[in-house]
Amino acid sequence: MKKSILRLVTLALIPLLGLAACSTKEADKKKKDQNEIEVWLTPQWKGTYKGDEKGADYDSFFKTAANMYEKDHPGKKISVQVIPGEERDSKLSVATQTKTMPDIFFESTFAISDLAHQGLLAPLDSTIDQKNKADISKSVWDNVTINHKTYFYPFAQNPGMLAYNADMFEKAGLQKYLADKDKIANWSLEDFQMILKKLKESDSHITPLGFYAKNNQGDTWTMMYLRMYGSSFFDKSGKLNVNDKKGVQALDYIKELKDKKMITFGAESLTSNDVNAMFQNKKIAISFTNAVLYKGMLDSMAAGTVNKFDARLANIPSVDGPKSFTYVLGSAVFNTNGDKRQKLAKDFVKYYSENKELIKASMNFMPVRKSLVEQEKANHPMLETYINNDQYVINFSNNTSGYVEVRNALFPEIQAVLTGEKTSKEALDTFVEKGNKAISQGIKRSKILNNR
């Protein structure tokens, strides 16, 4: 009888012991997880510093940084995952629903600014000291600040502007409007109008200005053109106001250029890639570019895959003076994985964003740090040119919640103007109505704008 009772008690204890073991494992796993963080990034550059390194891949930089950090911080573990750009949004959506967010995301900041509005990101102001803040231009910080808080630590940037064929300018007698090869031209709006006119008169077979409107790719330049006559695009409340007199005047001018055959034929059905190819094939005199695209074109010329010509840079003209913009590449830290992991993530972001050796990887784009430019400018004179041009950089997206929907509302209206279906005023009224609806919804949802 006693043996039977002992057997029953033993059998009853086995599941409890199993549960205790599972609980211990779960606790150990949780404890372990607090010392481990995960970094996600979309493909940016291959190699730690250069693409010709042995075994260079898109995760090389972060693996190098992680190894360095782990060596200095025993017991900490950092994993890295590269997310294809086209899968970023769906991957983040699933991670949000399943509560499996990473700890850090490294990306072009405007593309993921809505994560901050969703309340998923931790402000980084306490991570960044005044010395490091002063090393990066105010215009760059403006692009990563929402409601007076910093949500991304800038690592590199890719400034956008215009490229022009200096050979075509020479032929048209426009030598006085050429900047030096390692400088950026600043034309007034009147200069720009006259340049386009002279280019057309000098050679009827070339198109003075590249323009496109098939989709939303490269639409930042379109938005910059709409600012040419002084429109602020956004008002002080964050709503669109580009349907004002100044915005309408800018779009009227684009339509006038279309009617005079001074922009690319059939622009409503052309992509930015189409126009870039036409510029490289010397069919367009002035086109869009950015620092990475421009360097890639020059490298292709040097390699013989693009026919050589004298390509130079210019800011986008406006009545308010020259304008540029920049895509900031930086790091966001999620607030979804516990305080310890958040603290570790912030420390790792600070580590690779400030390490004097690791920040040299930003040379794959354009450095944001004045100290690095000062160090490298003798061998790379364009670095100083770009960083001095930060004074003309504006915050093109206004870090607006709902910016994706705003972008999707614009290009169909530009198409309608180019095809004659709508007037500039009608098109911009429709764009502003749709865009502001998306912005209003975004503001209502935004946790950081509503202090939730």
Side-chain angles (χ1 to χ4, degrees):
M1 181 69 177
K2 287 182 180 179
K3 287 183 180 180
S4 298
I5 292 172
L6 182 61
R7 184 169 176 272
L8 288 171
V9 170
T10 302
L11 289 171
L13 284 172
I14 288 173
L16 294 175
L17 291 170
L19 285 171
C22 288
S23 298
T24 302
K25 287 179 182 178
E26 288 299 317
D28 288 344
K29 183 176 184 297
K30 188 174 181 181
K31 184 177 179 182
K32 180 183 176 184
D33 285 347
Q34 290 301 305
N35 290 313
E36 295 185 10
I37 58 172
E38 186 175 20
V39 179
W40 286 6
L41 68 149
T42 53
Q44 302 299 336
W45 68 87
K46 287 188 174 183
T48 300
Y49 302 105
K50 293 184 178 180
D52 58 4
E53 297 166 0
K54 185 178 179 180
D57 211 336
Y58 290 116
D59 59 2
S60 299
F61 170 78
F62 278 98
K63 285 186 173 179
T64 298
N67 288 336
M68 291 170 62
Y69 186 85
E70 289 170 3
K71 186 177 179 181
D72 292 342
H73 301 80
K76 307 301 181 186
K77 180 71 176 175
I78 298 159
S79 59
V80 181
Q81 185 178 167
V82 179
I83 308 296
E86 65 275 13
E87 295 178 16
R88 180 195 62 219
D89 293 343
S90 60
K91 185 94 172 174
L92 282 169
S93 178
V94 171
T96 302
Q97 294 171 27
T98 57
K99 297 182 179 180
T100 54
M101 300 296 278
D103 299 277
I104 297 168
F105 207 119
F106 187 73
E107 174 64 295
S108 181
T109 60
F110 93 95
I112 57 172
S113 62
D114 253 10
L115 294 173
H117 286 288
Q118 292 171 36
L120 298 173
L121 303 184
L124 301 176
D125 300 272
S126 61
T127 304
I128 305 160
D129 58 37
Q130 286 304 310
K131 180 182 176 183
N132 282 284
K133 191 148 192 174
D135 199 25
I136 298 173
S137 299
K138 181 182 180 300
S139 59
V140 174
W141 289 116
D142 287 345
N143 275 269
V144 298
T145 301
I146 306 173
N147 204 23
H148 310 295
K149 291 183 180 180
T150 306
Y151 285 93
F152 305 92
Y153 201 145
F155 186 82
Q157 62 174 321
N158 189 12
M161 56 204 68
L162 301 177
Y164 62 97
N165 187 321
D167 298 330
M168 293 180 181
F169 273 57
E170 292 269 2
K171 182 180 177 182
L174 296 167
Q175 292 88 337
K176 66 179 283 189
Y177 299 102
L178 298 176
D180 292 340
K181 291 188 177 184
D182 59 352
K183 300 296 180 184
I184 300 171
N186 287 327
W187 304 321
S188 68
L189 184 57
E190 291 76 17
D191 291 338
F192 186 59
Q193 292 167 336
M194 191 274 295
I195 287 168
L196 297 180
K197 184 171 179 290
K198 290 287 187 183
L199 286 166
K200 187 65 180 178
E201 290 173 355
S202 71
D203 189 343
S204 60
H205 295 99
I206 61 108
T207 300
L209 179 65
F211 196 79
Y212 47 86
K214 184 175 182 179
N215 53 35
N216 67 7
Q217 297 303 294
D219 59 357
T220 311
W221 282 267
T222 305
M223 295 183 186
M224 296 298 285
Y225 295 141
L226 292 175
R227 291 174 165 98
M228 285 193 300
Y229 281 84
S231 175
S232 60
F233 209 88
F234 296 96
D235 63 23
K236 290 182 180 179
S237 71
K239 297 290 186 66
L240 295 166
N241 66 352
V242 72
N243 60 337
D244 61 5
K245 182 179 178 181
K246 298 171 182 177
V248 172
Q249 193 174 4
L251 189 50
D252 278 341
Y253 178 57
I254 292 170
K255 179 61 164 59
E256 178 187 335
L257 292 177
K258 188 259 183 188
D259 293 341
K260 292 181 177 179
K261 300 181 180 178
M262 294 169 72
I263 61 172
T264 34
F265 178 76
E268 63 276 6
S269 59
L270 294 176
T271 66
S272 56
N273 286 338
D274 295 330
V275 170
N276 186 49
M278 293 168 74
F279 178 68
Q280 292 186 8
N281 288 324
K282 297 185 277 192
K283 295 180 179 179
I284 293 172
I286 303 173
S287 187
F288 75 100
T289 197
N290 57 49
V292 173
L293 192 63
Y294 181 68
K295 184 180 183 300
M297 180 176 63
L298 296 183
D299 288 346
S300 295
M301 289 183 191
T305 55
V306 170
N307 291 329
K308 288 185 178 181
F309 63 92
D310 187 357
R312 305 190 193 185
L313 297 172
N315 280 312
I316 300 160
S318 81
V319 295
D320 302 323
K323 281 185 169 62
S324 179
F325 65 91
T326 194
Y327 298 118
V328 179
L329 186 65
S331 307
V333 171
F334 287 83
N335 59 16
T336 54
N337 297 316
D339 292 341
K340 283 188 70 176
R341 278 175 60 164
Q342 184 184 140
K343 183 178 179 182
L344 176 56
K346 285 182 177 181
D347 195 54
F348 183 51
V349 167
K350 183 177 180 67
Y351 181 81
Y352 64 74
S353 299
E354 297 177 5
N355 183 282
K356 291 187 184 298
E357 192 62 31
L358 290 172
I359 60 172
K360 292 179 181 177
S362 65
M363 297 278 288
N364 285 282
F365 283 74
M366 161 64 205
V368 291
R369 290 190 172 271
K370 302 169 190 174
S371 57
L372 181 58
V373 169
E374 187 65 27
Q375 182 182 329
E376 299 286 342
K377 68 181 183 181
N379 296 321
H380 305 278
M382 280 304 297
L383 294 182
E384 186 173 29
T385 297
Y386 281 130
I387 208 155
N388 286 343
N389 206 60
D390 280 351
Q391 63 184 302
Y392 301 121
V393 167
I394 67 168
N395 182 358
F396 67 91
S397 73
N398 203 41
N399 297 327
T400 298
S401 181
Y403 187 67
V404 172
E405 291 88 347
V406 169
R407 294 181 66 193
N408 289 335
L410 179 60
F411 71 88
E413 301 308 320
I414 302 296
Q415 291 174 353
V417 172
L418 294 175
T419 58
E421 182 184 338
K422 290 184 179 180
T423 66
S424 297
K425 177 63 174 169
E426 290 169 343
L428 290 177
D429 281 346
T430 302
F431 166 61
V432 167
E433 181 183 358
K434 291 181 178 178
N436 280 341
K437 183 178 179 181
I439 291 172
S440 293
Q441 291 172 345
I443 290 173
K444 287 179 182 177
R445 292 194 305 262
S446 175
K447 294 184 178 180
I448 58 176
L449 294 181
N450 294 292
N451 297 314
R452 295 201 301 267

